[in-house]
Amino acid sequence: MDNESTRGHEARVIDLASMHEATIAQLAQALKQRKISSKELTEHFLERIARLDDDLNAFITVTRDAALAQAEAADARLAAGDGTALTGIPIAHKDIFCTEGVKTSCGSRMLDNFISPYDATAVARLKQAGAVMLGKTNMDEFAMGSSNETSFYGPVHNPWDRETVPGGSSGGSAAAVAARLVCGATGTDTGGSIRQPAAFTGLTGIKPTYGRVSRYGMVAFASSLDQAGTLTRTAEDAALMLQSMAGTDERDSTSLPDPVPNFSKALEEPWENLTIGVPDNFFDDGLDPKNAQLVREALSVFERLGARLKDIHLEHLHLSVPVYYVVAPAEASSNLSRFDGVRYGHRAESSGGLTEFYMRTRGEGFGAEVKRRILTGAYVLSAGYYDAYYLQAQKVRQLISQDFARAFEDVDLIAGPTTPTPAFGLGQKVGDPIQMYLNDIYTIGAPLAGLPALSTPCGMVDDLPVGLQLVGPHLSEERLLAAAHRFQRETDWHTRVPPGYVD
Amino acid sequence: MGWEVVIGLEIHAQLATASKIFSGSSTRYGASPNSQASLVDLGYPGVLPVLNREAVRMAIKFGLATGCRISPRSVFARKNYFYPDLPKGYQISQYELPIVYGGRLDILLEDGGTKTIGITRAHLEEDAGKSLHEDFHGLSGIDLNRAGTPLLEIVSEPDLRSAAEAGTYMRTIHTLVRYLGISDGNMQEGSFRCDANVSVRRRGDHRLGTRTELKNLNSFRFVEKAIEVETERQIHLLEDGGVVVQETRLYDADKNDTRTMRIKEEANDYRYFPDPDLLPVVIDDALIEALRGELPELPAAKRNRFVREHDLSEDVASELTATLEMANYFEEALRAQPDVPAKRIANLIQRELTAALNREGLSIDQSKVPPEQLALLAARIEDKTVSSSAANVVFEELWQAGDSGEVDAVIEERGLKQITDTSEIEAWVDEVIAANPEQSEQYRGGKDKVIGFLVGQVMKLSRGQANPQQVNQILQDKLRD
Amino acid sequence: MPLSQEDVEKLCLLARLEITPEELADVAAKLSDIVALVNQLQAADTAGVVPMAHPLDRAQGLRADRVTESDQHERYQRNAPMVERDLYLVPKVIE
């Protein structure tokens, strides 16, 4: 397999048996030209899921019948010449997005019995575009985690090495796309939950500018940080999916009114010579030297392409983990108060009074990590601690944001590693929350400042993928995607397939 | 014994918007359980609040009407606590940056003077649902129709110094919000609720005593009684050497006392923080000026104008301006008969009309006698076509007739035209004097009071139609001859 | 400053989360670690810095005051664990 997947939309004979190798962009062409049908495509992926997902545990729910019905409808639309680039394309949604009539669990016992009565806006928009949903993917419980080991439904395994984690919290989406069980998947990113799994599984994962995609229907973890995004195999595919998802939503007060540019078109704009800032903060002792090497090589690719690298220093970035672990749990502790066994979700058997009822329901419904974060959140917001923790964290957050803004006066993009190491072993860090939190060290800064960021594969260490992170100023998704796309034309890391998942 | 009570009131007024503050559900009262509870109101996973423009406008109008400062930037905050009628486990309210603050309101005291009460702040928040305690096998039932209804919480400075002042302040706010059209003030339906913070201290002491919060005060009367009874309780407690505990107490109307409310949750640490789902509300001068232009003439101004322009007493003017509807009715009536003294029209409104409305439980909007007819009746009293007592009868006829009632027609049909013909009256007077020699003598002897009896006799003879003033005059003249 | 088990119990009540006596010590230890981590924030000089509640400097949009929702309680209550006569049931609320 060569670089064909990055050379655009040449008419290509799609071998039915290996439809899963094609990108969304290629499949869109094939569907449009009626060389394949959505029904064939959907059945193909459903078969792969049935055959291969047991070992990965990427899916919580597979919606076989609904998918086939959607595929039929997509085929009708395509036949009428009425499709979009996503019509008929099989995708999956992270189980944090509400999907009407379909179980939406957030990876938690608390919502194990919850059938959402409505579609999240992001889901509705992809549906409107004609994408076919194959199911809901596994995730860290309520998006709290960096390894997909906290799910009520069991851990997800990294298709590159099933003894390793796929990353989290969007681990299921990452594993599913990497194993070619779907063409693309939605994810959410609060502290790195799209980018880090993308890095661990060799994918392109993008977290757009805060407010770019509506949060309506996306179960809230940390409201001022959460963003919906995508996990795909190429930047080109990310552009296609993001195009449908993005845009203002009157039901989300925090969604941006700014018009959505044509992301796909931006990919093909002539390459401009960017200045890329490389923060020394990112190349610290915690960074695995092999990862560092690959990232530096990736940066030299950009130089070859005409970019100029510039060393920068982000003064307060070392405080981003403490800031995050105050702000995110604080908001989460409040957001999760609605889970009380009264109107939906898990309800404990309880013969006592109201307080006991709440405590038992929530004690049973939530896992250990979620409980820890709720308690942390309650602590940092409580009387006497609010100023020292929550208020102080929001102030330092302002400083971090200002650091980025200042840096972007001199550089067009900021680049560095996505993660300190490649994927670690299942069970390796689960016993030490702090160790787990430090995984997020490079990815946490961008959400604190609301900035868009993505990860693109830039090499392998011991047969495990390594990601390069690009961060841009507000509303610069075009620039990010174009840079990743350009990089993907020069390299082939993004085309690698985990062994065992080629067929 | 030298004690002073210090009172502050917190009033929650439901704003009269069509939809809820953060969702598009209806706010209509009385709907079947949970039929007006949307996903946002229910606190479903993934939903988000969107702010109702009208709630903001109404809050600003209140601020303008009470001389408050309008925050150019105000913030919504989450008040976190667990309770079944609070679906999200937090209430969206305002904490550090309320939408309006630092205002004042003048209240009329019993002695006729005015007192200025400070308004610390008024802020927007969402109402909770309702717990119904009917026994569902030992469980309570929750109706979330009310959850998300917009509230304006109006907090006064602790400037009130008696239960009566508190009652007056509450009534004044009640009238004001109805004038502004921002709340219907319906206490039975719970759209106007009041909590009172009460403490006592020795006169001359400038420190505030420990206060208790009184809840469950859903009428003007209860507010005053509860405060009185709580004041007594605190004074007795302190005089006996006890200590007032800072707590929430409920007023029991049957026993006329207050009792400790069982604490809902141990430490009320609400962990306020700015709601990340809502952006700061930015209010510019253009909006403020536009809303200022929309303010109606406020109750105090209208009352003062009535006193000045229509030569009415403060009391009468107060009554007439108690509601905007009544003031409008009054002014419409005046316009229909500009030559009739305002007092005459006011009188009919305050007595006959009010009695009829109260009797049938109607509001003045539902009056069966339109202002033009009432004004015409006043004119007929003024031009002596009917006497005051006959007017009563005419009014009742008009009331029964409703839309088709017409003053002159009724007077004609019922033969209620007042008789002012002097010779007719003289004839009756002669008859009565002749028939009542004893009383006549008594009057001539100096017993002035007996004229009333004689006038009454003439009125009887004339079947109430003689003009009483003329009867009185003619009687007196004839008896003195 | 580490959290005691008593501190944790108070937080559990505040957050309505039941944890078992066995879990208590572990949770206290882990929370203490987290607090130690976030204590790093105290070193930062934030004099005069405005706390950031939102990543974007925008103002709240306002919705027109119109009723847009209809009665969907039958559909929504399908998810409810315990409903009777259209009311959500909870252990008795005592006042």
Side-chain angles (χ1 to χ4, degrees):
Chain A
M1 194 148 108
D2 60 13
N3 265 356
E4 232 186 275
S5 54
T6 56
R7 271 207 220 113
H9 321 300
E10 293 133 12
R12 173 188 168 198
V13 175
I14 299 276
D15 173 5
L16 289 180
S18 58
M19 276 188 273
H20 53 276
E21 289 177 11
T23 64
I24 294 178
Q26 290 169 327
L27 289 172
Q29 274 299 302
L31 284 165
K32 189 168 169 192
Q33 292 163 5
R34 313 304 290 136
K35 289 196 188 329
I36 52 167
S37 69
S38 176
K39 182 157 179 282
E40 288 172 306
L41 203 50
T42 300
E43 278 171 345
H44 181 76
F45 281 103
L46 285 170
E47 188 276 328
R48 281 181 72 79
I49 293 171
R51 179 164 47 92
L52 300 166
D53 189 48
D54 277 348
D55 292 336
L56 298 174
N57 199 23
F59 279 86
I60 291 175
T61 304
V62 177
T63 49
R64 186 188 169 80
D65 292 340
L68 290 169
Q70 286 172 26
E72 257 192 67
D75 281 328
R77 249 178 101 172
L78 289 162
D82 194 27
T84 72
L86 293 178
T87 305
I89 299 284
I91 62 165
H93 286 295
K94 181 175 181 179
D95 212 13
I96 200 171
F97 290 96
C98 287
T99 43
E100 187 176 350
V102 175
K103 169 172 165 164
T104 299
S105 75
C106 299
S108 179
R109 183 180 178 195
M110 187 61 90
L111 291 177
D112 181 44
N113 64 0
F114 179 67
I115 310 286
S116 175
Y118 75 109
D119 273 339
T121 299
V123 169
R125 288 183 178 174
L126 285 165
K127 203 188 252 183
Q128 249 162 34
V132 174
M133 178 177 85
L134 300 194
K136 308 295 291 299
T137 57
N138 203 345
M139 53 181 281
D140 276 309
E141 188 182 1
F142 285 107
M144 300 185 199
S146 313
S147 63
N148 218 137
E149 292 177 285
T150 67
S151 170
F152 175 61
Y153 302 97
V156 175
H157 300 254
N158 190 326
W160 289 92
D161 173 351
R162 293 196 290 268
E163 301 302 303
T164 65
V165 302
S169 61
S170 311
S173 285
V177 176
R180 277 78 174 152
L181 305 184
V182 282
C183 302
T186 55
T188 63
D189 191 310
T190 304
S193 292
I194 285 177
R195 293 162 285 151
Q196 186 246 30
F200 280 5
T201 55
L203 298 177
T204 303
I206 182 164
K207 180 201 89 67
T209 309
Y210 182 84
R212 189 56 115 171
V213 180
S214 168
R215 290 187 300 116
Y216 185 77
M218 199 175 106
V219 181
F221 159 25
S223 315
S224 73
L225 301 167
D226 292 344
Q227 244 317 255
T230 62
L231 288 114
T232 55
R233 288 164 26 225
T234 64
E236 188 180 30
D237 286 356
L240 285 172
M241 280 188 75
L242 199 59
Q243 194 74 52
S244 278
M245 291 164 69
T248 193
D249 183 3
E250 62 183 13
R251 283 195 274 215
D252 175 4
S253 299
T254 60
S255 77
L256 293 173
D258 303 65
V260 182
N262 188 326
F263 294 128
S264 303
K265 192 149 164 285
L267 298 179
E268 299 307 330
E269 299 287 306
W271 170 256
E272 10 153 351
N273 286 342
L274 297 179
T275 303
I276 299 178
V278 184
D280 55 15
N281 314 68
F282 285 165
F283 290 83
D284 57 0
D285 293 335
L287 179 59
D288 183 313
K290 294 194 212 141
N291 278 46
Q293 177 67 16
L294 290 169
V295 169
R296 291 219 184 273
E297 280 168 13
L299 292 174
S300 60
V301 169
F302 279 106
E303 275 184 304
R304 274 204 323 272
L305 291 171
R308 191 170 72 85
L309 301 181
K310 184 168 196 267
D311 284 331
I312 62 172
H313 178 69
L314 295 165
E315 197 185 331
H316 301 90
L317 200 63
H318 63 286
L319 291 173
S320 51
V321 172
V323 167
Y324 180 83
Y325 282 100
V326 168
V327 173
E331 294 180 3
S333 70
S334 181
N335 284 330
L336 267 56
S337 293
R338 65 192 62 200
F339 299 106
D340 59 8
V342 177
R343 299 164 312 292
Y344 48 79
H346 179 73
R347 180 183 180 112
E349 303 270 325
S350 167
S351 53
L354 195 55
T355 302
E356 192 201 300
F357 166 75
Y358 282 145
M359 292 187 73
R360 186 159 296 182
T361 292
R362 291 161 59 78
E364 287 175 5
F366 291 133
E369 181 61 32
V370 169
K371 283 196 250 198
R372 271 197 291 274
R373 298 217 194 176
I374 291 176
L375 293 171
T376 304
Y379 181 74
V380 302
L381 288 174
S382 61
Y385 296 107
Y386 178 86
D387 285 0
Y389 291 113
Y390 187 77
L391 205 55
Q392 179 73 348
Q394 294 287 48
K395 289 180 181 178
V396 177
R397 183 178 177 182
Q398 184 75 258
L399 291 173
I400 292 171
S401 186
Q402 285 168 359
D403 289 346
F404 274 107
R406 249 191 308 274
F408 283 124
E409 284 169 16
D410 295 330
V411 304
D412 300 309
L413 288 178
I414 288 173
T418 308
T419 61
T421 66
F424 46 88
L426 280 162
Q428 191 180 322
K429 299 201 182 187
V430 125
D432 188 343
I434 305 289
Q435 269 308 299
M436 190 66 85
Y437 296 167
L438 291 174
N439 262 302
D440 299 332
I441 200 156
Y442 305 130
T443 50
I444 270 184
L448 292 180
L451 301 170
L454 63 73
S455 179
T456 182
C458 68
M460 305 282 281
V461 170
D462 303 328
D463 299 324
L464 290 170
V466 168
L468 167 76
Q469 185 183 206
L470 299 174
V471 183
H474 290 130
L475 299 173
S476 66
E477 291 85 3
E478 296 157 278
R479 188 185 303 169
L480 284 170
L481 288 166
H485 180 65
R486 198 72 181 81
F487 182 77
Q488 289 172 359
R489 289 190 120 141
E490 298 302 311
T491 62
D492 69 355
W493 302 113
H494 62 286
T495 68
R496 306 288 175 92
V497 186
Y501 294 92
V502 175
D503 304 306
Chain B
M1 195 237 163
W3 290 97
E4 178 178 64
V5 66
V6 174
I7 303 154
L9 290 189
E10 278 171 23
I11 291 171
H12 287 89
Q14 266 185 10
L15 296 179
T17 53
S19 63
K20 294 187 180 178
I21 187 171
F22 296 118
S23 80
S25 299
S26 166
T27 54
R28 197 178 55 83
Y29 182 81
S32 60
N34 289 304
S35 61
Q36 287 173 188
S38 69
L39 294 173
V40 173
D41 306 326
L42 292 170
Y44 253 62
V47 299
L48 296 169
V50 188
L51 181 58
N52 185 327
R53 167 181 306 148
E54 197 54 35
V56 173
R57 294 166 60 94
M58 288 180 170
I60 296 173
K61 281 188 185 173
F62 179 82
L64 290 173
T66 51
C68 287
R69 304 185 52 169
I70 316 293
S71 288
R73 193 170 158 276
S74 73
V75 170
F76 283 99
R78 294 188 184 179
K79 179 178 181 182
N80 295 281
Y81 65 95
F82 285 88
Y83 207 64
D85 64 7
L86 195 68
K88 297 186 292 295
Y90 60 86
Q91 177 196 33
I92 302 178
S93 178
Q94 295 192 292
Y95 188 56
E96 287 174 335
L97 288 175
I99 189 163
V100 305
Y101 63 97
R104 69 210 165 293
L105 188 67
D106 286 343
I107 60 173
L108 273 183
L109 300 174
E110 278 164 354
D111 63 10
T114 63
K115 178 170 177 177
T116 303
I117 307 297
I119 292 180
T120 315
R121 53 186 275 156
H123 69 252
L124 287 168
E125 59 184 29
E126 56 179 350
D127 208 347
K130 278 196 191 149
S131 303
L132 297 172
H133 300 302
E134 290 163 54
D135 214 331
F136 293 92
H137 352 276
L139 302 169
S140 296
I142 308 294
D143 175 12
L144 294 170
N145 279 348
R146 201 182 65 177
T149 305
L151 293 178
L152 187 66
E153 178 175 330
I154 303 163
V155 181
S156 83
E157 292 287 329
D159 290 342
L160 299 160
R161 291 288 175 274
S162 72
E165 278 182 20
T168 303
Y169 169 80
M170 189 176 165
R171 284 184 181 83
T172 310
I173 296 268
H174 187 254
T175 301
L176 180 59
V177 299
R178 281 150 73 236
Y179 258 66
L180 293 171
I182 65 178
S183 173
D184 66 14
N186 188 324
M187 287 186 277
Q188 283 71 35
E189 291 182 359
S191 38
F192 194 82
R193 320 198 282 259
C194 181
D195 299 334
N197 289 309
V198 181
S199 68
V200 298
R201 63 185 177 192
R202 296 239 179 236
R203 273 194 203 287
D205 193 340
H206 295 298
R207 295 163 300 177
L208 288 172
T210 306
R211 64 166 207 263
T212 59
E213 186 183 12
L214 302 179
K215 284 181 119 65
N216 199 29
L217 308 172
N218 52 23
S219 78
F220 299 124
R221 233 180 84 243
F222 285 175
V223 168
E224 294 188 30
K225 288 170 91 70
I227 291 172
E228 275 165 4
V229 123
E230 176 63 12
T231 305
E232 286 299 303
R233 186 191 76 86
Q234 289 192 15
I235 291 173
H236 285 320
L237 188 56
L238 291 170
E239 282 181 343
D240 285 347
V243 165
V244 174
V245 171
Q246 182 169 343
E247 60 179 350
T248 303
R249 298 177 73 85
L250 287 180
Y251 175 65
D252 185 330
D254 299 325
K255 297 191 190 144
N256 195 31
D257 71 11
T258 64
R259 61 171 203 282
T260 306
M261 188 169 160
R262 185 125 31 128
I263 316 280
K264 285 190 272 200
E265 67 273 2
E266 280 67 2
N268 276 0
D269 183 353
Y270 294 123
R271 289 154 284 144
Y272 283 100
F273 71 102
D275 193 328
D277 290 331
L278 292 163
L279 302 175
V281 183
V282 168
I283 295 165
D284 61 21
D285 289 340
L287 176 60
I288 294 175
E289 289 321 305
L291 290 172
R292 201 191 297 279
E294 283 180 32
L295 292 180
E297 183 182 32
L298 298 179
K302 199 184 283 290
R303 185 185 70 235
N304 292 335
R305 182 169 62 81
F306 278 16
V307 168
R308 253 185 4 255
E309 282 180 11
H310 306 308
D311 195 28
L312 297 169
S313 70
E314 281 274 359
D315 280 344
V316 173
S318 272
E319 262 196 62
L320 290 174
T321 56
T323 69
L324 190 54
E325 291 76 27
M326 183 168 285
N328 288 344
Y329 186 101
F330 171 68
E331 291 201 292
E332 247 193 88
L334 283 182
R335 274 194 294 275
Q337 298 289 338
D339 295 329
V340 173
K343 278 200 184 77
R344 182 72 70 190
I345 290 179
N347 213 287
L348 277 176
I349 292 176
Q350 284 180 284
R351 286 175 23 181
E352 277 80 358
L353 179 56
T354 300
L357 291 170
N358 286 346
R359 196 178 64 224
E360 294 187 23
L362 298 173
S363 65
I364 199 162
D365 290 351
Q366 300 166 304
S367 167
K368 294 181 183 173
V369 176
E372 305 76 42
Q373 288 302 313
L374 185 136
L376 186 53
L377 179 54
R380 289 292 171 264
I381 298 172
E382 196 62 23
D383 67 20
K384 300 202 195 321
T385 307
V386 287
S387 65
S388 306
S389 39
N392 213 304
V393 177
V394 176
F395 184 86
E396 277 310 310
E397 281 284 326
L398 287 174
W399 184 267
Q400 296 307 323
D403 283 337
S404 58
E406 208 287 306
V407 170
D408 290 326
V410 169
I411 292 175
E412 199 57 51
E413 279 160 34
R414 294 287 300 262
L416 293 170
K417 243 191 171 136
Q418 195 168 223
I419 292 168
T420 53
D421 183 293
T422 322
S423 48
E424 269 195 78
I425 295 178
E426 283 186 355
W428 283 320
V429 166
D430 288 339
E431 223 187 294
V432 164
I433 289 177
N436 299 275
E438 210 185 300
Q439 288 84 351
S440 306
E441 270 314 305
Q442 284 173 348
Y443 182 78
R444 285 201 194 93
K447 200 172 178 190
D448 291 334
K449 275 208 191 129
V450 83
I451 196 96
F453 169 77
L454 293 166
V455 168
Q457 292 303 300
V458 176
M459 294 307 292
K460 240 201 302 212
L461 258 188
S462 73
R463 280 195 303 267
Q465 286 177 270
N467 176 293
Q469 286 80 21
Q470 281 177 271
V471 169
N472 200 311
Q473 191 58 53
I474 291 170
L475 257 174
Q476 283 187 42
D477 291 343
K478 284 195 182 268
L479 286 168
R480 281 202 218 100
D481 285 342
Chain C
M1 137 234 357
L3 268 72
S4 68
Q5 294 192 16
E6 206 192 305
D7 291 330
V8 174
E9 278 168 342
K10 285 199 189 130
L11 288 173
C12 284
L13 181 58
L14 203 54
R16 297 295 189 271
L17 282 181
E18 184 174 72
I19 63 176
T20 65
E22 297 79 46
E23 289 175 300
L24 189 52
D26 183 54
V27 171
K30 292 205 162 88
L31 284 185
S32 300
D33 288 342
I34 295 170
V35 171
L37 169 72
V38 303
N39 273 335
Q40 292 175 38
L41 290 175
Q42 307 314 319
D45 177 11
T46 53
V49 180
V50 174
M52 175 193 255
H54 295 281
L56 309 150
D57 190 17
R58 308 269 171 139
Q60 174 66 30
L62 299 172
R63 177 176 60 84
D65 182 26
R66 268 196 339 260
V67 175
T68 54
E69 299 286 342
S70 62
D71 179 6
Q72 299 285 318
H73 79 274
E74 274 181 39
R75 206 155 63 87
Y76 298 160
Q77 286 181 346
R78 278 184 220 146
N79 272 310
M82 214 183 272
V83 164
E84 199 170 301
R85 287 196 257 142
D86 297 336
L87 297 166
Y88 296 97
L89 298 190
V90 296
K92 225 170 173 54
V93 167
I94 306 161
E95 234 155 57

